[in-house]
Amino acid sequence: MEYILIFIAAVFVNNIVLSQFLGICPFLGVSRKVETAGGMSAAVTFVLTIATIVTFIVQKYVLDAFGLGFMQTITFILIIASLVQMLEIILKKVSPALYQALGVYLPLITTNCCVLGVAIMVIQKDYNLLQAVVYAISTAIGFSLALTIFAGIREQLSVTHVPEGMKGTPIALITAGLLAMAFMGFSGIV
């Protein structure tokens, strides 16, 4: 039951983008088409899960063990950047098709603050490894859900009449605000 609550809270109630405002750059930048949103969502899900596992292990067995907790942020940043680079190299050699499918999204994930945010939140919430993995996957699903819905709305807005002064960023920000308000409707569930 605890894992179901973590899932519901991460996907709907405390959505990483719409409630905690982490990952806004890819949310606004990669959300013009549903297809690109899907690619970014898959890449974020994969990297977020692996990064959370690795940072959790490093925090518990290296930083905490040697009293180096003050180096958490810089260590996590280096781990995430290294993981993305290693993943890019491995995918290029092992699965060129998957590498081509993820394309530009892998380097973009290095600067996605929701990956670092989730890694730090897992430690702050004092989750065990299984809870951390469930939280990471759930957060990635919540990110993907918000990104895909937003991309679908933006695609629809591109074919409808929008006043000249509202085209582009203004209507995107208003839409993101309305979407965040819609997700606030889930706030009493967990």
Side-chain angles (χ1 to χ4, degrees):
M1 185 66 173
E2 180 181 352
Y3 298 108
I4 294 171
L5 291 176
I6 291 173
F7 177 81
I8 292 171
V11 173
F12 299 110
V13 179
N14 298 321
N15 188 288
I16 195 81
V17 177
L18 301 174
S19 176
Q20 297 176 4
F21 307 114
L22 293 173
I24 295 291
C25 296
F27 180 71
L28 292 174
V30 188
S31 61
R32 296 197 201 297
K33 295 183 180 178
V34 174
E35 182 181 324
T36 57
M40 185 64 164
S41 297
V44 165
T45 302
F46 189 70
V47 170
L48 189 62
T49 305
I50 292 175
T52 300
I53 293 168
V54 173
T55 55
F56 180 88
I57 292 168
V58 167
Q59 177 73 36
K60 295 297 180 188
Y61 297 108
V62 177
L63 297 178
D64 288 348
F66 294 107
L68 299 172
F70 63 92
M71 295 190 64
Q72 179 188 55
T73 304
I74 192 70
T75 304
F76 284 11
I77 290 170
L78 291 173
I79 288 170
I80 292 166
S82 301
L83 276 173
V84 171
Q85 292 303 314
M86 285 189 317
L87 182 65
E88 192 172 359
I89 292 168
I90 291 169
L91 283 179
K92 197 175 200 178
K93 292 189 184 272
V94 173
S95 178
L98 183 59
Y99 175 75
Q100 289 296 328
L102 293 177
V104 72
Y105 305 120
L106 278 175
L108 284 176
I109 294 172
T110 306
T111 60
N112 190 344
C113 58
C114 79
V115 178
L116 177 63
V118 168
I120 291 173
M121 280 188 270
V122 160
I123 302 303
Q124 288 176 344
K125 293 177 186 244
D126 200 28
Y127 284 155
N128 61 38
L129 184 59
L130 185 57
Q131 290 171 326
V133 171
V134 169
Y135 182 74
I137 292 170
S138 302
T139 301
I141 290 170
F143 177 84
S144 302
L145 179 68
L147 185 63
T148 306
I149 290 171
F150 188 57
I153 293 171
R154 285 186 77 179
E155 275 188 2
Q156 184 63 35
L157 284 172
S158 70
V159 296
T160 59
H161 175 69
V162 177
E164 195 61 38
M166 296 298 291
K167 287 186 178 176
T169 305
I171 195 69
L173 292 175
I174 290 170
T175 304
L178 291 171
L179 191 57
M181 287 174 56
F183 270 71
M184 283 177 58
F186 295 112
S187 62
I189 292 177
V190 178

